[in-house]
């Protein structure tokens, strides 16, 4: 897997200070109209994700004030084939159970859970920002901006109740 960038102490993509990993590559065809990261749709874009990359992410999460990891793209859900993202979230769950994992996807929750590999990954994610970016529904005023159709989903609760539970319904730390 390649990644486009990592932001440390990021305050834009989620709650509190976070580490934000932007993976490269998106297979959405056609792509979202108005895609906000056309360069990062290429799977060869950016730098190879290595063991050192993983260690730098894990190191950043040792800081008490860092609330967790945000995974964006590109399209994270099109980057599960080599297993490195699953390995990363599993390791975070083990080493930092109190930190949150947020993920952005251009696919809907309902589409994602049909695929066993994506479902397995989602089980380690606290919040999913889901759905295609639709430029005509753009809303910069809403939390995490994007477009109005995109939802902020509490993943484990949604899986447990077999219906969409929004993350805003929960106390956010
Ligand atoms: S999912 Fe993201 S990277 Fe892919 S086309 Fe849509 S906005 Fe662009």
């Amino acid at each position: 897997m390649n990644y486009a960038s990592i932001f440390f102490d990021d305050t834009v993509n989620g709650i509190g200070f976070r580490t934000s990993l932007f993976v490269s590559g998106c297979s959405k065809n056609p792509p979202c109209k108005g895609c906000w990261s056309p360069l990062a749709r290429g799977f060869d874009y950016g730098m190879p994700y290595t063991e050192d990359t993983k260690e730098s992410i894990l190191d950043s999460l040792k800081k008490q004030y860092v609330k967790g990891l945000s995974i964006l793209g590109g399209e994270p859900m099109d980057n599960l084939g080599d297993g490195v993202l699953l390995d990363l979230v599993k390791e975070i769950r083990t080493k930092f159970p109190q930190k949150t994992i947020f993920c952005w996807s251009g696919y809907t929750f309902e589409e994602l859970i049909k695929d066993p590999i994506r479902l397995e990954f989602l089980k380690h994610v606290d919040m999913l920002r889901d759905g295609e970016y639709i430029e005509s529904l753009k809303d910069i005023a809403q939390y995490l901006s994007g477009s109005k159709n995109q939802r902020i989903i509490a993943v484990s609760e949604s899986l447990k109740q077999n219906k969409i539970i929004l993350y805003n319904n929960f106390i956010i730390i």
Side-chain angles (χ1 to χ4, degrees):
M1 182 182 80
N2 272 25
Y3 70 99
S5 52
I6 300 177
F7 295 162
F8 296 104
D9 293 350
D10 183 16
T11 55
V12 174
N13 295 296
I15 298 144
F17 289 94
R18 309 186 67 77
T19 300
S20 295
L21 169 67
F22 293 78
V23 303
S24 298
C26 171
S27 303
K28 236 176 140 40
N29 189 17
C32 305
K33 200 173 168 209
C35 167
W36 67 285
S37 57
L39 277 178
R41 289 211 305 268
F43 284 88
D44 292 336
Y45 182 74
M47 299 144 273
Y49 175 96
T50 64
E51 243 344 88
D52 284 349
T53 317
K54 183 175 86 172
E55 288 310 318
S56 70
I57 291 170
L58 294 174
D59 271 353
S60 73
L61 296 177
K62 288 178 186 162
K63 296 180 207 156
Q64 206 180 350
Y65 66 84
V66 173
K67 298 292 184 195
L69 175 70
S70 295
I71 308 172
L72 310 93
E75 173 53 63
M77 296 296 177
D78 287 335
N79 273 284
L80 302 179
D82 61 7
V84 295
L85 277 183
L86 181 60
D87 175 62
L88 175 65
V89 293
K90 278 183 169 175
E91 199 158 339
I92 291 171
R93 280 287 170 249
T94 305
K95 290 186 172 162
F96 308 102
Q98 76 283 17
K99 310 267 172 172
T100 54
I101 299 174
F102 294 173
C103 183
W104 275 244
S105 175
Y107 301 103
T108 63
F109 180 83
E110 292 83 350
E111 289 170 325
L112 293 170
I113 60 173
K114 286 179 190 159
D115 179 279
I117 294 172
R118 288 166 164 170
L119 176 60
E120 175 61 20
F121 178 76
L122 271 179
K123 287 177 182 169
H124 302 279
V125 169
D126 296 288
M127 183 284 282
L128 174 74
R129 173 73 158 161
D130 84 330
E132 185 172 338
Y133 171 67
I134 300 177
E135 206 169 21
S136 59
L137 298 178
K138 181 177 177 180
D139 183 3
I140 54 168
Q142 72 180 359
Y143 180 59
L144 300 179
S145 87
S147 54
K148 280 186 193 300
N149 59 300
Q150 294 173 311
R151 301 167 295 184
I152 301 172
I153 295 172
V155 176
S156 65
E157 206 53 36
S158 299
L159 289 172
K160 206 185 300 171
Q161 296 193 33
N162 201 24
K163 65 177 187 182
I164 298 293
I165 305 293
L166 297 181
Y167 198 78
N168 334 21
N169 294 347
F170 289 75
I171 295 172
I172 292 165
I173 52 168

